[in-house]
Amino acid sequence: MGSVQLQDFVAGLVGGIASVVAGHPLDTIKTRLQAGQGYGNTLNCVLTVYRNESLAGFFKGMSFPLASIGIYSSVVFGVFSNTQRLLSQLRHGDPAAAPSLTDMTLASIVAGVISVGIGTPVELVKIRLQMQTQPYTKANVKLNSTAPGSPVYRGPIHCLRTILQKEGIPGVYRGNIAMLLRDVPGYCAYFIPYAMFCDWITPHGSISPNLFSIWVAGGVAGAVSWAVSTPMDVVKSRLQADGVYLNQYKGTLDCMLQSYQNEGLKKSCQEDQKVSYVLSQTSSVVLVRAQLL
Protein backbone atom coordinates (compact mmCIF):
# COMPACT_ATOMS: atom_id res chain seq x y z
CA MET A 1 0.00 0.00 0.00
CA GLY A 2 2.88 2.35 0.72
CA SER A 3 4.31 1.97 -2.80
CA VAL A 4 0.88 2.66 -4.30
CA GLN A 5 0.58 5.84 -2.26
CA LEU A 6 3.97 6.98 -3.49
CA GLN A 7 2.99 6.16 -7.05
CA ASP A 8 -0.08 8.38 -6.75
CA PHE A 9 1.99 11.36 -5.65
CA VAL A 10 4.63 10.74 -8.32
CA ALA A 11 1.94 10.50 -11.00
CA GLY A 12 0.49 13.81 -9.88
CA LEU A 13 3.92 15.43 -9.79
CA VAL A 14 4.99 14.32 -13.26
CA GLY A 15 1.56 14.90 -14.77
CA GLY A 16 1.29 18.38 -13.26
CA ILE A 17 4.64 19.52 -14.65
CA ALA A 18 3.88 18.01 -18.05
CA SER A 19 0.45 19.68 -18.18
CA VAL A 20 2.00 23.11 -17.52
CA VAL A 21 4.57 22.69 -20.29
CA ALA A 22 1.99 21.39 -22.78
CA GLY A 23 -0.93 23.60 -21.86
CA HIS A 24 0.39 26.98 -20.70
CA PRO A 25 0.15 28.79 -24.09
CA LEU A 26 -3.49 27.71 -24.35
CA ASP A 27 -4.05 28.72 -20.73
CA THR A 28 -2.69 32.19 -21.52
CA ILE A 29 -5.14 32.57 -24.40
CA LYS A 30 -7.99 31.31 -22.20
CA THR A 31 -7.14 33.79 -19.45
CA ARG A 32 -6.86 36.71 -21.87
CA LEU A 33 -10.26 35.86 -23.39
CA GLN A 34 -11.86 35.51 -19.95
CA ALA A 35 -10.48 38.62 -18.28
CA GLY A 36 -9.14 40.80 -21.08
CA GLN A 37 -10.71 43.30 -23.43
CA GLY A 38 -10.65 43.85 -27.17
CA TYR A 39 -9.66 40.37 -28.36
CA GLY A 40 -12.98 39.40 -29.92
CA ASN A 41 -12.28 35.75 -30.65
CA THR A 42 -9.67 33.05 -30.17
CA LEU A 43 -7.82 33.59 -33.45
CA ASN A 44 -7.62 37.34 -32.97
CA CYS A 45 -6.34 36.82 -29.42
CA VAL A 46 -3.58 34.49 -30.65
CA LEU A 47 -2.54 36.93 -33.37
CA THR A 48 -2.64 39.93 -31.01
CA VAL A 49 -0.50 38.25 -28.38
CA TYR A 50 2.04 37.12 -30.97
CA ARG A 51 2.14 40.50 -32.74
CA ASN A 52 2.54 42.54 -29.54
CA GLU A 53 4.59 40.19 -27.36
CA SER A 54 6.10 37.60 -29.75
CA LEU A 55 6.21 33.90 -28.86
CA ALA A 56 7.29 34.70 -25.29
CA GLY A 57 3.89 36.28 -24.66
CA PHE A 58 2.24 32.87 -24.64
CA PHE A 59 4.51 31.72 -21.81
CA LYS A 60 4.02 34.67 -19.45
CA GLY A 61 3.62 33.54 -15.85
CA MET A 62 4.82 30.02 -16.58
CA SER A 63 7.81 29.86 -14.24
CA PHE A 64 5.82 30.03 -11.02
CA PRO A 65 3.24 27.33 -11.88
CA LEU A 66 6.03 25.19 -13.36
CA ALA A 67 7.83 25.32 -10.02
CA SER A 68 4.73 24.81 -7.91
CA ILE A 69 2.09 22.96 -9.96
CA GLY A 70 3.93 19.66 -9.61
CA ILE A 71 3.52 19.84 -5.83
CA TYR A 72 -0.06 21.05 -6.26
CA SER A 73 -1.04 18.18 -8.58
CA SER A 74 0.86 15.70 -6.48
CA VAL A 75 -1.11 16.70 -3.38
CA VAL A 76 -4.46 16.71 -5.21
CA PHE A 77 -3.97 13.28 -6.81
CA GLY A 78 -2.46 11.88 -3.61
CA VAL A 79 -5.28 13.23 -1.44
CA PHE A 80 -7.94 11.91 -3.82
CA SER A 81 -6.44 8.41 -4.02
CA ASN A 82 -5.69 8.11 -0.31
CA THR A 83 -9.12 9.44 0.70
CA GLN A 84 -10.71 6.96 -1.66
CA ARG A 85 -8.73 4.08 -0.14
CA LEU A 86 -9.53 5.25 3.39
CA LEU A 87 -13.25 5.30 2.60
CA SER A 88 -13.00 1.83 1.04
CA GLN A 89 -11.26 0.59 4.20
CA LEU A 90 -13.91 2.12 6.47
CA ARG A 91 -16.92 1.04 4.40
CA HIS A 92 -15.78 -2.30 2.97
CA GLY A 93 -12.89 -3.35 5.19
CA ASP A 94 -10.51 -3.43 2.23
CA PRO A 95 -8.63 -0.37 0.92
CA ALA A 96 -8.26 -2.08 -2.47
CA ALA A 97 -12.02 -2.63 -2.85
CA ALA A 98 -13.68 -1.01 -5.85
CA PRO A 99 -14.85 2.45 -4.70
CA SER A 100 -18.53 3.27 -4.82
CA LEU A 101 -19.92 6.41 -6.46
CA THR A 102 -20.31 7.92 -2.99
CA ASP A 103 -16.67 7.19 -2.16
CA MET A 104 -15.44 8.83 -5.37
CA THR A 105 -17.68 11.84 -4.81
CA LEU A 106 -16.45 12.39 -1.25
CA ALA A 107 -12.82 11.91 -2.29
CA SER A 108 -13.32 14.42 -5.14
CA ILE A 109 -14.81 16.98 -2.75
CA VAL A 110 -11.88 16.60 -0.34
CA ALA A 111 -9.40 16.98 -3.21
CA GLY A 112 -11.26 20.06 -4.45
CA VAL A 113 -11.18 21.76 -1.06
CA ILE A 114 -7.48 20.98 -0.58
CA SER A 115 -6.70 22.29 -4.06
CA VAL A 116 -8.07 25.74 -3.22
CA GLY A 117 -5.73 26.26 -0.27
CA ILE A 118 -2.68 25.35 -2.34
CA GLY A 119 -3.74 26.47 -5.80
CA THR A 120 -5.24 29.94 -5.26
CA PRO A 121 -1.90 31.79 -4.77
CA VAL A 122 -0.37 29.85 -7.68
CA GLU A 123 -3.18 30.76 -10.07
CA LEU A 124 -3.30 34.35 -8.80
CA VAL A 125 0.37 34.97 -9.62
CA LYS A 126 0.05 33.16 -12.95
CA ILE A 127 -2.95 35.23 -14.01
CA ARG A 128 -1.47 38.54 -12.84
CA LEU A 129 1.65 37.86 -14.92
CA GLN A 130 -0.41 36.74 -17.91
CA MET A 131 -2.64 39.81 -17.76
CA GLN A 132 -0.27 42.63 -16.90
CA THR A 133 0.42 43.63 -20.53
CA GLN A 134 -3.04 43.11 -21.99
CA PRO A 135 -4.90 46.20 -23.26
CA TYR A 136 -7.35 48.04 -21.02
CA THR A 137 -9.77 50.79 -21.98
CA LYS A 138 -8.08 53.90 -20.61
CA ALA A 139 -11.38 55.59 -19.81
CA ASN A 140 -12.12 52.82 -17.33
CA VAL A 141 -8.75 52.90 -15.61
CA LYS A 142 -7.54 55.22 -12.90
CA LEU A 143 -3.88 55.45 -13.72
CA ASN A 144 -1.30 55.21 -10.99
CA SER A 145 2.40 54.98 -11.71
CA THR A 146 2.00 52.28 -14.34
CA ALA A 147 0.13 52.70 -17.61
CA PRO A 148 -2.01 49.91 -19.04
CA GLY A 149 0.04 47.65 -21.27
CA SER A 150 3.24 48.21 -19.30
CA PRO A 151 4.61 45.43 -17.08
CA VAL A 152 3.69 45.85 -13.43
CA TYR A 153 5.59 42.88 -12.03
CA ARG A 154 9.19 41.91 -12.69
CA GLY A 155 8.52 38.22 -12.05
CA PRO A 156 6.58 35.78 -9.86
CA ILE A 157 8.41 36.60 -6.61
CA HIS A 158 8.02 40.35 -7.15
CA CYS A 159 4.36 39.79 -8.04
CA LEU A 160 3.68 37.80 -4.86
CA ARG A 161 5.59 40.30 -2.71
CA THR A 162 3.70 43.24 -4.26
CA ILE A 163 0.33 41.59 -3.65
CA LEU A 164 1.27 40.87 -0.03
CA GLN A 165 2.39 44.47 0.53
CA LYS A 166 -0.67 46.06 -1.06
CA GLU A 167 -3.43 43.58 -0.26
CA GLY A 168 -2.13 41.38 2.54
CA ILE A 169 -2.93 37.69 2.99
CA PRO A 170 -6.55 38.16 1.76
CA GLY A 171 -5.11 39.48 -1.49
CA VAL A 172 -3.07 36.32 -2.01
CA TYR A 173 -6.29 34.31 -1.72
CA ARG A 174 -8.33 36.60 -3.96
CA GLY A 175 -10.81 34.50 -5.92
CA ASN A 176 -10.71 31.57 -3.48
CA ILE A 177 -14.51 31.33 -3.22
CA ALA A 178 -14.86 31.24 -7.00
CA MET A 179 -12.09 28.65 -7.16
CA LEU A 180 -13.83 26.54 -4.52
CA LEU A 181 -17.06 26.71 -6.54
CA ARG A 182 -15.05 25.73 -9.62
CA ASP A 183 -12.89 22.94 -8.21
CA VAL A 184 -15.29 20.99 -5.99
CA PRO A 185 -17.81 20.26 -8.77
CA GLY A 186 -14.97 20.26 -11.31
CA TYR A 187 -13.07 17.44 -9.60
CA CYS A 188 -16.29 15.48 -9.15
CA ALA A 189 -16.94 15.93 -12.88
CA TYR A 190 -13.39 14.78 -13.63
CA PHE A 191 -12.56 11.86 -11.35
CA ILE A 192 -15.96 10.15 -11.52
CA PRO A 193 -16.32 10.13 -15.35
CA TYR A 194 -12.66 9.14 -15.65
CA ALA A 195 -13.14 6.09 -13.41
CA MET A 196 -16.39 5.16 -15.13
CA PHE A 197 -15.03 5.43 -18.68
CA CYS A 198 -11.86 3.55 -17.74
CA ASP A 199 -14.01 0.76 -16.38
CA TRP A 200 -16.31 0.70 -19.40
CA ILE A 201 -13.64 0.56 -22.09
CA THR A 202 -11.06 -1.60 -20.30
CA PRO A 203 -11.11 -5.10 -21.87
CA HIS A 204 -12.61 -7.82 -19.69
CA GLY A 205 -9.98 -9.78 -17.84
CA SER A 206 -7.48 -6.93 -17.72
CA ILE A 207 -6.14 -6.05 -14.29
CA SER A 208 -5.54 -2.39 -15.14
CA PRO A 209 -6.62 -0.07 -17.96
CA ASN A 210 -4.42 0.03 -21.05
CA LEU A 211 -2.95 3.15 -22.68
CA PHE A 212 -5.89 3.60 -25.04
CA SER A 213 -8.41 3.39 -22.19
CA ILE A 214 -6.50 5.99 -20.17
CA TRP A 215 -6.25 8.43 -23.09
CA VAL A 216 -9.91 8.16 -24.04
CA ALA A 217 -11.15 8.31 -20.43
CA GLY A 218 -8.87 11.26 -19.63
CA GLY A 219 -10.01 13.19 -22.69
CA VAL A 220 -13.71 12.61 -22.00
CA ALA A 221 -13.34 13.38 -18.29
CA GLY A 222 -11.42 16.57 -19.06
CA ALA A 223 -14.12 17.78 -21.46
CA VAL A 224 -16.89 17.04 -18.95
CA SER A 225 -14.98 18.73 -16.14
CA TRP A 226 -14.33 21.93 -18.10
CA ALA A 227 -17.94 22.08 -19.29
CA VAL A 228 -18.95 22.15 -15.62
CA SER A 229 -16.12 24.41 -14.45
CA THR A 230 -15.89 27.07 -17.16
CA PRO A 231 -18.48 29.55 -15.79
CA MET A 232 -16.80 29.75 -12.38
CA ASP A 233 -13.36 29.66 -14.00
CA VAL A 234 -14.32 32.85 -15.86
CA VAL A 235 -15.35 34.48 -12.57
CA LYS A 236 -12.15 33.32 -10.83
CA SER A 237 -9.93 34.62 -13.64
CA ARG A 238 -11.65 38.01 -13.67
CA LEU A 239 -11.42 38.37 -9.91
CA GLN A 240 -7.74 37.44 -9.86
CA ALA A 241 -6.85 39.64 -12.84
CA ASP A 242 -8.76 42.50 -11.20
CA GLY A 243 -6.29 44.64 -9.31
CA VAL A 244 -3.45 44.86 -11.80
CA TYR A 245 -4.56 48.38 -12.76
CA LEU A 246 -7.99 48.80 -11.17
CA ASN A 247 -10.52 47.14 -8.86
CA GLN A 248 -13.71 46.55 -10.79
CA TYR A 249 -15.34 43.81 -8.71
CA LYS A 250 -16.39 43.84 -5.05
CA GLY A 251 -16.46 40.07 -4.75
CA THR A 252 -17.53 36.79 -6.33
CA LEU A 253 -21.24 37.59 -6.52
CA ASP A 254 -20.60 41.08 -7.91
CA CYS A 255 -18.31 39.64 -10.59
CA MET A 256 -20.98 37.08 -11.55
CA LEU A 257 -23.66 39.76 -11.78
CA GLN A 258 -21.52 42.19 -13.78
CA SER A 259 -20.41 39.47 -16.19
CA TYR A 260 -23.99 38.34 -16.74
CA GLN A 261 -25.40 41.87 -17.08
CA ASN A 262 -22.70 43.00 -19.52
CA GLU A 263 -22.31 39.88 -21.63
CA GLY A 264 -24.95 37.32 -20.76
CA LEU A 265 -24.22 33.70 -19.90
CA LYS A 266 -23.33 32.47 -23.37
CA LYS A 267 -21.08 35.31 -24.55
CA SER A 268 -19.03 35.42 -21.37
CA CYS A 269 -18.12 31.75 -21.73
CA GLN A 270 -18.30 30.77 -25.40
CA GLU A 271 -14.91 31.82 -26.82
CA ASP A 272 -12.75 30.78 -23.89
CA GLN A 273 -14.70 27.52 -23.61
CA LYS A 274 -13.33 26.48 -27.01
CA VAL A 275 -9.81 27.01 -25.73
CA SER A 276 -10.69 25.37 -22.41
CA TYR A 277 -11.88 22.28 -24.28
CA VAL A 278 -8.56 21.87 -26.12
CA LEU A 279 -6.66 22.70 -22.92
CA SER A 280 -8.64 20.07 -21.03
CA GLN A 281 -7.71 17.42 -23.57
CA THR A 282 -4.02 18.33 -23.38
CA SER A 283 -3.85 18.56 -19.59
CA SER A 284 -6.01 15.52 -18.89
CA VAL A 285 -4.11 13.23 -21.21
CA VAL A 286 -0.70 14.09 -19.76
CA LEU A 287 -2.04 13.89 -16.21
CA VAL A 288 -3.57 10.46 -16.56
CA ARG A 289 -0.70 9.23 -18.74
CA ALA A 290 1.55 9.69 -15.71
CA GLN A 291 -0.46 7.03 -13.89
CA LEU A 292 1.29 4.43 -16.03
CA LEU A 293 4.58 5.15 -14.20
Side-chain angles (χ1 to χ4, degrees):
M1 182 175 174
S3 60
V4 175
Q5 290 176 324
L6 178 62
Q7 189 177 42
D8 293 331
F9 285 100
V10 171
L13 178 68
V14 175
I17 293 173
S19 69
V20 172
V21 175
H24 194 81
L26 289 170
D27 186 72
T28 297
I29 298 302
K30 174 183 73 69
T31 300
R32 296 285 180 97
L33 286 169
Q34 287 178 336
Q37 298 178 8
Y39 292 113
N41 55 54
T42 303
L43 179 60
N44 184 57
C45 183
V46 172
L47 295 175
T48 300
V49 172
Y50 182 76
R51 184 167 53 248
N52 294 340
E53 306 169 52
S54 75
L55 191 62
F58 296 100
F59 292 91
K60 286 187 180 296
M62 179 176 168
S63 59
F64 189 63
L66 187 62
S68 55
I69 204 69
I71 298 174
Y72 167 73
S73 297
S74 176
V75 170
V76 169
F77 270 76
V79 166
F80 171 78
S81 299
N82 284 294
T83 301
Q84 189 172 263
R85 278 193 293 270
L86 176 62
L87 292 172
S88 294
Q89 174 69 48
L90 294 175
R91 291 164 59 87
H92 311 294
D94 180 9
S100 65
L101 180 61
T102 302
D103 294 341
M104 287 190 288
T105 301
L106 290 174
S108 299
I109 292 173
V110 172
V113 172
I114 294 297
S115 74
V116 173
I118 301 173
T120 302
V122 174
E123 295 217 4
L124 176 68
V125 171
K126 173 181 70 68
I127 285 176
R128 290 288 177 92
L129 292 174
Q130 286 174 327
M131 295 299 296
Q132 66 174 337
T133 56
Q134 74 95 43
Y136 277 85
T137 304
K138 291 187 178 181
N140 295 332
V141 179
K142 296 179 180 178
L143 296 181
N144 294 318
S145 59
T146 306
S150 301
V152 177
Y153 311 112
R154 295 191 295 270
I157 302 301
H158 179 252
C159 177
L160 187 60
R161 186 169 64 245
T162 302
I163 294 170
L164 278 169
Q165 290 173 348
K166 293 184 176 180
E167 306 172 52
I169 296 296
V172 175
Y173 283 90
R174 184 176 180 83
N176 61 339
I177 300 300
M179 190 170 177
L180 184 68
L181 295 174
R182 182 199 71 172
D183 282 1
V184 170
Y187 279 120
C188 289
Y190 176 81
F191 285 118
I192 294 174
Y194 171 69
M196 293 174 64
F197 274 96
C198 261
D199 183 60
W200 288 345
I201 63 180
T202 297
H204 291 292
S206 298
I207 299 176
S208 60
N210 56 32
L211 178 61
F212 175 76
S213 299
I214 288 177
W215 276 36
V216 172
V220 171
V224 172
S225 177
W226 270 111
V228 172
S229 302
T230 293
M232 289 313 302
D233 187 59
V234 172
V235 174
K236 181 200 71 69
S237 295
R238 291 181 176 180
L239 282 169
Q240 292 185 325
D242 194 35
V244 178
Y245 302 111
L246 75 166
N247 288 307
Q248 181 180 351
Y249 307 112
K250 298 176 182 177
T252 302
L253 181 59
D254 182 54
C255 182
M256 293 171 65
L257 292 174
Q258 286 196 46
S259 298
Y260 180 76
Q261 290 170 355
N262 295 335
E263 304 169 62
L265 181 61
K266 182 178 180 181
K267 185 178 179 182
S268 62
C269 297
Q270 59 185 3
E271 277 300 325
D272 66 273
Q273 195 163 30
K274 299 173 187 176
V275 184
S276 296
Y277 175 78
V278 179
L279 178 62
S280 71
Q281 304 307 302
T282 305
S283 299
S284 296
V285 166
V286 296
L287 278 168
V288 299
R289 178 66 182 86
Q291 293 186 354
L292 292 179
L293 291 175

